[in-house]
Amino acid sequence: MIRPAALDDAPRLAEIHIASWQVAYAGILPAEFLEGLSGELNARTAQWQDWLNTESPRRAVLVAVDGEDVVGFAHLGPSGDKDLKPEVVGELYSMYLDPTRYRQGWGSGLMTAVFDAMRTAGFTEASLWVMTANSAARSFYERAGWEADGAETDHCVGIEIPAVRYRRAL
Ligand SMILES: CC(C)(COP(=O)(O)OP(=O)(O)OC[C@H]1O[C@@H](n2cnc3c(N)ncnc32)[C@H](O)[C@@H]1OP(=O)(O)O)[C@@H](O)C(=O)NCCC(=O)NCCS
């Protein structure tokens, strides 16, 4: 099941965010940096509380739920890119699953809900940034109909790392 995140999901979102970075970015980001994220649980919980407290009709955090357990999330809203129009382009800011749930269809279910939420918010196109070296996620996005549009950056998710942009019509 997919539902909008509630404020009390914040600790679980922070936990998934950190655990998924530690597994998915092993070999992409330095091991020491990834290990250090375990100490950021409280700070990241506070950040999720802030995001969830900020009401905006065009932003959403969706969670995938298995029984009582939140197994993954997607965060979306208007594009933050200077060359794209935030009125029409929705951005998938982040999408992470609990590492024990990879490759079981949860991501595909979330993606369908992301597209629905973006259309409901009035977006006609979607964009996202993904680390260039994250070949697993790139395969997932390509399978979901996204295509690299040629834009590149050296900065992604607050760190210095090469990333490429993907786009999709909604
Ligand atoms: C990327 C992610 C959201 C995908 O969700 P998922 O539930 O694992 O993916 P699904 O099971 O729905 O996979 C759908 C299809 O995508 C492709 N795919 C998914 N994971 C893949 C992988 N590791 N390698 C290659 N293709 C993959 C496959 O075509 C797959 O279909 P198949 O399993 O029938 O072959 C999830 O694996 C994840 O959280 N990864 C770590 C975090 C991350 O990289 N997030 C993106 C940051 S930009």
Side-chain angles (χ1 to χ4, degrees):
M1 187 189 96
I2 312 289
R3 62 162 172 81
L7 191 53
D8 60 8
D9 290 321
R12 178 69 178 137
L13 296 179
E15 190 177 78
I16 291 173
H17 210 164
I18 289 171
S20 204
W21 269 56
Q22 288 173 329
V23 172
Y25 300 149
I28 297 179
L29 298 178
E32 201 176 304
F33 169 79
L34 292 173
E35 279 160 26
L37 295 178
S38 300
E40 290 189 11
L41 192 61
N42 290 343
R44 289 196 176 221
T45 297
Q47 189 173 54
W48 276 108
Q49 282 165 338
D50 268 2
W51 283 330
L52 293 169
N53 261 327
T54 309
E55 294 229 357
S56 161
R58 306 195 81 209
R59 272 182 101 100
V61 180
L62 303 175
V63 291
V65 182
D66 184 9
E68 295 289 298
D69 193 16
V70 171
V71 301
F73 67 82
H75 187 189
L76 63 100
S79 166
D81 293 348
K82 288 196 178 73
D83 62 331
L84 300 180
K85 293 194 176 114
E87 309 81 42
V88 293
V89 185
E91 182 168 342
L92 179 55
Y93 304 129
S94 62
M95 181 162 176
Y96 290 91
L97 300 182
D98 181 307
T100 65
R101 307 294 186 133
Y102 292 172
R103 206 79 188 252
Q104 297 163 37
W106 291 101
S108 299
L110 260 175
M111 188 60 86
T112 301
V114 164
F115 292 147
D116 287 347
M118 284 188 175
R119 288 186 196 106
T120 302
F123 300 115
T124 54
E125 288 175 55
S127 80
L128 64 82
W129 289 95
V130 57
M131 291 179 196
T132 308
N134 188 356
S135 52
R138 294 180 66 169
S139 296
F140 168 73
Y141 293 135
E142 285 161 16
R143 172 78 180 270
W146 296 79
E147 283 177 32
D149 76 350
E152 295 180 0
T153 181
D154 286 333
H155 230 88
C156 178
V157 287
I159 52 176
E160 239 173 77
I161 185 88
V164 289
R165 188 168 68 188
Y166 276 65
R167 305 271 292 279
R168 193 191 187 281
L170 288 169

